[in-house]
Amino acid sequence: KAGVTQTPRYLIKTRGQQVTLSCSPISGHRSVSWYQQTPGQGLQFLFEYFSETQRNKGNFPGRFSGRQFSNSRSEMNVSTLELGDSALYLCASSLRTDSTDTQYFGPGTRLTVL
Amino acid sequence: AQSVTQLDSHVSVSEGTPVLLRCNYSSSYSPSLFWYVQHPNKGLQLLLKYTSAATLVKGINGFEAEFKKSETSFHLTKPSAHMSDAAEYFCVVSDPAYAGNNRKLIWGLGTSLAVNP
């Protein structure tokens, strides 16, 4: 089975721009979660989608949004980029959303905001 | 409230010596616990997970972890370190019983493991 794929792998933007990141989960997985990883803060949960519905949301401003399509692919969007948004954005997919379920991660998208 | 504390931000061992990466958690429920590893410029990979079955959990690459409820710990060990084990390791606690039985994952800040020849 193919793993989780994320596109693009690297992105450079300037402050004030907006960006869209894409994630394709493992075939059959209906849950997609997004995380932001920075050296100082570690992994911070953004949101989780299951069957096109947002199930869970972290403590990020409204500039961060996401959606999931009927084929389980997901996108996240960040509007009005700030320097502090520079980070590795990770996507993870899983079969379910219960506490015992394992998440499988993609390689991430490295976003640099100048 | 749930929390995860990885007690060491950096651990350095010599090749062939034991590895111990420490993780303490707090949870109001019966949690699931995970260890993930992240090699440089690679994605996160699951090492092992505990989900209320056997308290000693064996994972990939010779790693294992023991769930100790009385000590609220889930330390990761390996008898003999290999150079390829150098990476960042994350302890994660997953609590049930949120709205709609959706999980809430709490991630530790990570432990960087260096393996010296």
Side-chain angles (χ1 to χ4, degrees), chain B residues 5-98:
Chain B
T5 304
Q6 291 186 242
L7 297 165
D8 307 291
S9 57
H10 300 279
V11 170
S12 182
V13 300
S14 297
E15 192 175 19
T17 64
V19 175
L20 170 63
L21 305 183
R22 298 181 295 166
C23 173
N24 285 357
Y25 71 93
S26 70
S27 171
S28 304
Y29 306 95
S30 296
S32 297
L33 293 154
F34 304 77
W35 276 98
Y36 280 86
V37 61
Q38 187 175 34
H39 288 92
N41 299 316
K42 291 193 176 179
L44 284 152
Q45 182 183 19
L46 178 71
L47 273 178
L48 49 82
K49 72 175 180 180
Y50 165 78
T51 58
S52 74
T55 56
L56 182 61
V57 183
K58 294 189 184 299
I60 61 171
N61 301 335
F63 284 94
E64 61 182 38
E66 186 171 8
F67 174 69
K68 291 187 177 180
K69 187 174 181 178
S70 60
E71 299 176 12
T72 60
S73 69
F74 190 58
H75 301 335
L76 182 71
T77 61
K78 182 174 180 177
S80 176
H82 192 272
M83 296 294 289
S84 61
D85 294 328
E88 190 86 13
Y89 292 80
F90 294 91
C91 181
V92 186
V93 62
S94 178
D95 261 343
Y98 261 74

Side-chain angles (χ1 to χ4, degrees), chain A residues 42-71:
Chain A
L43 264 90
Q44 302 287 311
F45 171 71
L46 280 155
F47 27 67
E48 179 172 17
Y49 286 86
F50 184 83
S51 295
E52 302 179 65
T53 302
Q54 189 179 86
R55 285 294 196 94
N56 227 338
K57 191 175 187 306
N59 296 324
F60 277 80
R63 301 185 296 108
F64 292 81
S65 63
R67 59 178 175 168
Q68 186 180 35
F69 302 95
S70 58
N71 62 357

Side-chain angles (χ1 to χ4, degrees), chain A residues 4-81:
Chain A
V4 178
T5 58
Q6 291 186 245
T7 56
R9 292 291 311 276
Y10 302 90
L11 209 46
I12 299 175
K13 293 284 188 179
T14 56
R15 279 183 302 173
Q17 289 188 307
Q18 68 96 24
V19 67
T20 299
L21 312 181
S22 181
C23 172
S24 292
I26 291 171
S27 177
H29 285 192
R30 295 165 65 190
S31 166
V32 173
S33 297
W34 288 90
Y35 295 87
Q36 181 194 67
Q37 185 177 22
T38 57
Q41 299 292 321
L43 264 90
Q44 302 287 311
F45 171 71
L46 280 155
F47 27 67
E48 179 172 17
Y49 286 86
F50 184 83
S51 295
E52 302 179 65
T53 302
Q54 189 179 86
R55 285 294 196 94
N56 227 338
K57 191 175 187 306
N59 296 324
F60 277 80
R63 301 185 296 108
F64 292 81
S65 63
R67 59 178 175 168
Q68 186 180 35
F69 302 95
S70 58
N71 62 357
S72 294
R73 190 177 70 85
S74 177
E75 290 181 347
M76 68 163 279
N77 184 277
V78 188
S79 62
T80 320
L81 283 166

